[in-house]
Amino acid sequence: MSFNTPQQESRINDVLFRINQDISREISAKELAKTAAYSEQHFHRVFKKVVGETFNHYVRRTRLERAANLLAFNRKVSVLDIAQQCGFQSLSGFIKVFNTSFGMTPGRWRTHNKKNSQKHFLTDPVLLEGYKRIIAKALPHPEIIYRPDQRVAYIRHRGYQPDIKETWQKLLSWERRQYGCNKGEQIGLHHSNPAWVPLKDCQYVACIESSLPVVRRGQISSLTIPGGEYAEFNIVGNYGEVVPYLDRILNEWLPSSGYKLGTTPTMARYRKNHFISEDNTFDLTLCLPLSL
């Protein structure tokens, strides 16, 4: 078994940040290899080793996931505009790869009833039970606020499953070494929608507010969460209920809100983090990015 070195982790983190910073921009492996300070051939090998999939597959999958969200929740925006926002220059090419990935055309995806369709997260017994517990509860009334940029230390995690706990433990251990205690705000970034992205493939980022730069970068690096307008929902509950709550907010609150879904990740701002709390309960604010 080969392990990733801290240098490989930090360089590929820089690449992932550039990719996700503006997914609409055409960016080549050659250009990103320069960012990582690798030859293009070596860049492809290291990227797959660190991320677990090829560079081209990661970019295509990330763009398609973003497009699926925008198609579902920004219905007044044309399919062509969404394709271009997600980095697809050819409408016919976008339709083809979308159909291959999701089993239907973008137009069909936009109109079919996703609220009652089979959701990936419901195949997980814990999330299914969480969904049953909260489905009849009234959604909390959100507050619409503008959040400024926020600098954080972070670790990327692939999969929305219980092993996120290990990622949080690593990040908290780093924070204790850096500051002598755990004091920064804990934030989870949800890049993927687990309703239609398999849980094992969901992209999650564990973050801790940190004003100091990460000196010895490796698996842990730093980034700035961009400011913007958010709908903030304060919720409390048990492990397994966060994803169902987010699904209901997207399908029940957003369509009648007058807002469109923004392109930045949804944030969970933890007052109590269910991934690391002893009783597996949470107290958090779900922050849904908005655009007019």
Side-chain angles (χ1 to χ4, degrees):
M1 178 182 296
S2 60
F3 294 94
N4 303 326
T5 68
Q7 183 185 76
Q8 289 171 336
E9 294 274 4
S10 65
R11 292 184 183 187
I12 297 303
N13 271 337
D14 290 342
V15 168
L16 293 173
F17 177 77
R18 287 199 62 189
I19 293 171
N20 286 283
Q21 190 175 34
D22 184 3
I23 201 68
S24 67
R25 188 168 75 90
E26 187 60 38
I27 191 165
S28 67
K30 184 177 182 179
E31 180 182 348
L32 290 175
K34 291 180 180 178
T35 296
Y38 290 130
S39 69
E40 186 174 352
Q41 186 177 22
H42 190 54
F43 165 73
H44 282 288
R45 287 197 297 267
V46 175
F47 188 96
K48 185 175 182 180
K49 179 171 176 277
V50 173
V51 179
E53 59 187 316
T54 66
F55 165 74
N56 290 329
H57 187 271
Y58 176 87
V59 172
R60 183 173 62 251
R61 181 171 63 83
T62 301
R63 286 174 168 172
L64 285 170
E65 288 177 14
R66 184 80 56 84
N69 251 19
L70 295 178
L71 286 164
F73 304 117
N74 295 353
R75 296 194 175 190
K76 293 183 179 180
V77 182
S78 72
V79 172
L80 176 60
D81 285 344
I82 287 175
Q84 292 175 340
Q85 287 176 32
C86 297
F88 296 95
Q89 302 307 313
S90 163
L91 179 59
S92 60
F94 170 63
I95 292 172
K96 182 178 179 180
V97 296
F98 191 95
N99 191 32
T100 299
S101 181
F102 290 97
M104 63 183 74
T105 65
R108 173 64 180 142
W109 176 263
R110 171 167 271 174
T111 58
H112 91 287
N113 190 342
K114 286 172 282 297
K115 182 177 179 180
N116 295 322
S117 62
Q118 181 61 40
K119 304 172 190 293
H120 276 293
F121 70 82
L122 294 180
T123 62
D124 181 282
V126 176
L127 297 185
L128 175 59
E129 289 306 310
Y131 182 80
K132 292 176 180 178
R133 288 194 299 270
I134 66 99
I135 189 61
K137 294 182 179 179
L139 289 174
H141 184 73
E143 181 180 4
I144 310 298
I145 72 165
Y146 182 89
R147 282 200 168 273
D149 292 353
Q150 187 173 15
R151 189 170 182 81
V152 296
Y154 73 93
I155 301 179
R156 295 185 183 276
H157 184 95
R158 183 170 178 175
Y160 196 89
Q161 293 165 312
D163 60 350
I164 291 178
K165 179 177 182 177
E166 298 171 12
T167 295
W168 274 108
Q169 288 172 335
K170 291 177 184 176
L171 191 56
L172 291 169
S173 178
W174 169 87
E175 186 189 29
R176 285 193 296 271
R177 294 194 304 271
Q178 186 90 336
Y179 295 102
C181 62
N182 294 127
K183 63 178 182 179
E185 182 182 21
Q186 298 171 13
I187 303 167
L189 302 182
H190 295 254
H191 278 276
S192 307
N193 187 332
W196 46 73
V197 178
L199 291 178
K200 65 180 180 62
D201 294 327
C202 286
Q203 300 178 63
Y204 176 88
V205 185
C207 307
I208 289 179
E209 185 177 28
S210 175
S211 59
L212 298 178
V214 178
V215 178
R216 295 183 177 180
R217 299 191 313 138
Q219 188 178 34
I220 299 173
S221 294
S222 59
L223 62 79
T224 298
I225 299 174
E229 195 167 28
Y230 291 87
E232 298 200 336
F233 298 79
N234 293 319
I235 59 173
V236 296
N238 298 288
Y239 182 86
E241 296 175 0
V242 174
V243 168
Y245 266 121
L246 177 56
D247 185 70
R248 288 189 60 201
I249 289 168
L250 287 168
N251 285 287
E252 296 175 27
W253 179 82
L254 185 62
S256 60
S257 69
Y259 291 95
K260 293 186 294 185
L261 184 67
T263 57
T264 54
T266 297
M267 293 188 287
R269 310 182 75 95
Y270 303 103
R271 289 173 292 276
K272 184 177 182 182
N273 186 338
H274 55 297
F275 289 115
I276 53 177
S277 63
E278 292 184 0
D279 60 358
N280 296 320
T281 62
F282 63 80
D283 179 358
L284 58 82
T285 300
L286 272 178
C287 305
L288 191 72
L290 303 175
S291 65
L292 294 174

